[in-house]
Every structure is written in structure tokens, then in C-alpha cells.
């Protein structure tokens, strides 16, 4: 997957420095909250139309890769 440039941004003057999807005021955490509440990606994208499918999928991909990379043997 080709990851979009400037996927997530932080700015102390915007949303108190909360990581948001680039070009939006939508916190990245909101995507994971939606998924944890059993709302699918489609619901998230409908609720937050300023976030592109590409951005959301890239964040999910990176999160998954990070979990796998940091897994420890049982």
C-alpha cells in the first residue's frame, strides 16, 4: 500500500495538539473509537466525510503493522 504523504498532523494551535487526519480536524483516535464500538469503516467515513478512505485505510494498516512489529513471544 502506498501511504499518503502527511497522513497525520499535530499542531498545538489546532485541537490542542491532538493527532488529526491531515487537512481535517478529525482526531485519529476517533477512527479507532468507531471501530471499537462496532461501527464499520463505512460508518466512520459517512460521519467524517473530510477523511478519505485512503487516509483511514493507511492509518489502520500502520496500526496493524505496529502491533505485529511490537509483538512479543508468549
Amino acid at each position: 500500500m502506498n501511504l499518503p504523504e502527511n497522513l497525520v498532523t499535530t499542531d498545538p494551535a489546532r485541537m490542542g495538539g491532538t493527532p488529526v487526519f491531515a487537512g481535517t480536524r478529525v482526531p485519529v483516535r476517533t477512527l479507532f473509537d468507531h471501530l471499537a464500538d462496532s461501527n464499520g469503516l463505512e460508518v466512520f467515513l459517512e460521519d467524517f466525510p473530510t477523511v478519505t478512505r485512503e487516509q483511514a485505510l493507511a492509518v489502520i494498516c500502520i496500526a496493524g503493522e505496529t502491533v505485529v512489529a511490537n509483538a512479543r513471544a508468549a
Side-chain angles (χ1 to χ4, degrees):
M1 167 180 240
N2 291 330
L3 299 179
E5 300 255 340
N6 300 320
L7 180 61
V8 175
T9 60
T10 59
D11 180 349
R14 179 177 271 195
M15 303 286 293
T18 299
V20 298
F21 286 95
T24 77
R25 295 180 58 84
V26 180
V28 171
R29 177 101 216 108
T30 304
L31 169 61
F32 295 105
D33 290 344
H34 258 64
L35 297 175
D37 289 341
S38 299
N39 295 317
L41 179 59
E42 294 305 320
V43 173
F44 173 79
L45 295 172
E46 288 174 16
D47 289 349
F48 300 97
T50 58
V51 178
T52 68
R53 177 177 297 281
E54 180 183 39
Q55 286 175 308
L57 290 175
V59 164
I60 292 168
C61 179
I62 290 168
E65 288 174 358
T66 300
V67 168
V68 170
N70 291 307
R72 299 199 193 307

PDB file of all heavy atoms in Angstrom, residues 1 3 10 13 35 37 43 50 60:
ATOM      1  N   MET A   1       0.841  -1.180   0.000  1.00  0.00           N
ATOM      2  CA  MET A   1       0.000   0.000   0.000  1.00  0.00           C
ATOM      3  C   MET A   1       0.884   1.239   0.000  1.00  0.00           C
ATOM      4  O   MET A   1       1.789   1.359   0.821  1.00  0.00           O
ATOM      5  CB  MET A   1      -0.896  -0.032   1.245  1.00  0.00           C
ATOM      6  CG  MET A   1      -1.590   1.271   1.530  1.00  0.00           C
ATOM      7  SD  MET A   1      -2.630   1.196   2.998  1.00  0.00           S
ATOM      8  CE  MET A   1      -4.174   1.568   2.249  1.00  0.00           C
ATOM      9  N   LEU A   3       1.479   4.771   1.098  1.00  0.00           N
ATOM     10  CA  LEU A   3       0.924   5.611   2.143  1.00  0.00           C
ATOM     11  C   LEU A   3       0.904   7.066   1.695  1.00  0.00           C
ATOM     12  O   LEU A   3       1.872   7.556   1.118  1.00  0.00           O
ATOM     13  CB  LEU A   3       1.743   5.473   3.419  1.00  0.00           C
ATOM     14  CG  LEU A   3       1.783   4.072   3.997  1.00  0.00           C
ATOM     15  CD1 LEU A   3       2.651   4.049   5.244  1.00  0.00           C
ATOM     16  CD2 LEU A   3       0.394   3.575   4.322  1.00  0.00           C
ATOM     17  N   THR A  10      -0.061  17.126  13.713  1.00  0.00           N
ATOM     18  CA  THR A  10      -0.316  17.665  15.046  1.00  0.00           C
ATOM     19  C   THR A  10       0.103  19.125  15.039  1.00  0.00           C
ATOM     20  O   THR A  10       1.072  19.494  14.373  1.00  0.00           O
ATOM     21  CB  THR A  10       0.468  16.922  16.143  1.00  0.00           C
ATOM     22  OG1 THR A  10       1.857  17.021  15.868  1.00  0.00           O
ATOM     23  CG2 THR A  10       0.069  15.466  16.227  1.00  0.00           C
ATOM     24  N   ALA A  13      -1.716  24.570  18.136  1.00  0.00           N
ATOM     25  CA  ALA A  13      -2.753  25.585  17.954  1.00  0.00           C
ATOM     26  C   ALA A  13      -4.058  25.002  17.401  1.00  0.00           C
ATOM     27  O   ALA A  13      -5.057  25.701  17.316  1.00  0.00           O
ATOM     28  CB  ALA A  13      -2.240  26.682  17.019  1.00  0.00           C
ATOM     29  N   LEU A  35     -14.435   2.015  15.353  1.00  0.00           N
ATOM     30  CA  LEU A  35     -14.242   0.585  15.110  1.00  0.00           C
ATOM     31  C   LEU A  35     -14.464  -0.225  16.380  1.00  0.00           C
ATOM     32  O   LEU A  35     -15.063  -1.303  16.335  1.00  0.00           O
ATOM     33  CB  LEU A  35     -12.854   0.329  14.528  1.00  0.00           C
ATOM     34  CG  LEU A  35     -12.580   0.973  13.158  1.00  0.00           C
ATOM     35  CD1 LEU A  35     -11.136   0.741  12.741  1.00  0.00           C
ATOM     36  CD2 LEU A  35     -13.552   0.468  12.108  1.00  0.00           C
ATOM     37  N   ASP A  37     -16.450   0.472  18.760  1.00  0.00           N
ATOM     38  CA  ASP A  37     -17.887   0.483  19.055  1.00  0.00           C
ATOM     39  C   ASP A  37     -18.684  -0.327  18.041  1.00  0.00           C
ATOM     40  O   ASP A  37     -19.908  -0.191  17.957  1.00  0.00           O
ATOM     41  CB  ASP A  37     -18.412   1.919  19.084  1.00  0.00           C
ATOM     42  CG  ASP A  37     -17.937   2.686  20.293  1.00  0.00           C
ATOM     43  OD1 ASP A  37     -17.516   2.053  21.279  1.00  0.00           O
ATOM     44  OD2 ASP A  37     -17.978   3.934  20.256  1.00  0.00           O
ATOM     45  N   VAL A  43     -19.299   3.569   8.195  1.00  0.00           N
ATOM     46  CA  VAL A  43     -19.985   4.497   9.099  1.00  0.00           C
ATOM     47  C   VAL A  43     -19.051   5.644   9.452  1.00  0.00           C
ATOM     48  O   VAL A  43     -19.455   6.810   9.447  1.00  0.00           O
ATOM     49  CB  VAL A  43     -20.482   3.768  10.374  1.00  0.00           C
ATOM     50  CG1 VAL A  43     -21.031   4.756  11.391  1.00  0.00           C
ATOM     51  CG2 VAL A  43     -21.524   2.733  10.010  1.00  0.00           C
ATOM     52  N   THR A  50     -14.661  14.454   5.631  1.00  0.00           N
ATOM     53  CA  THR A  50     -13.399  15.123   5.289  1.00  0.00           C
ATOM     54  C   THR A  50     -12.217  14.165   5.315  1.00  0.00           C
ATOM     55  O   THR A  50     -11.145  14.498   4.819  1.00  0.00           O
ATOM     56  CB  THR A  50     -13.121  16.307   6.234  1.00  0.00           C
ATOM     57  OG1 THR A  50     -13.089  15.846   7.586  1.00  0.00           O
ATOM     58  CG2 THR A  50     -14.162  17.399   6.069  1.00  0.00           C
ATOM     59  N   ILE A  60      -5.113   2.472   9.570  1.00  0.00           N
ATOM     60  CA  ILE A  60      -5.388   1.111  10.042  1.00  0.00           C
ATOM     61  C   ILE A  60      -4.215   0.191   9.705  1.00  0.00           C
ATOM     62  O   ILE A  60      -3.781  -0.615  10.532  1.00  0.00           O
ATOM     63  CB  ILE A  60      -6.706   0.586   9.448  1.00  0.00           C
ATOM     64  CG1 ILE A  60      -7.892   1.361  10.018  1.00  0.00           C
ATOM     65  CG2 ILE A  60      -6.859  -0.917   9.703  1.00  0.00           C
ATOM     66  CD1 ILE A  60      -9.206   1.130   9.301  1.00  0.00           C
TER      67      ILE A  60
END
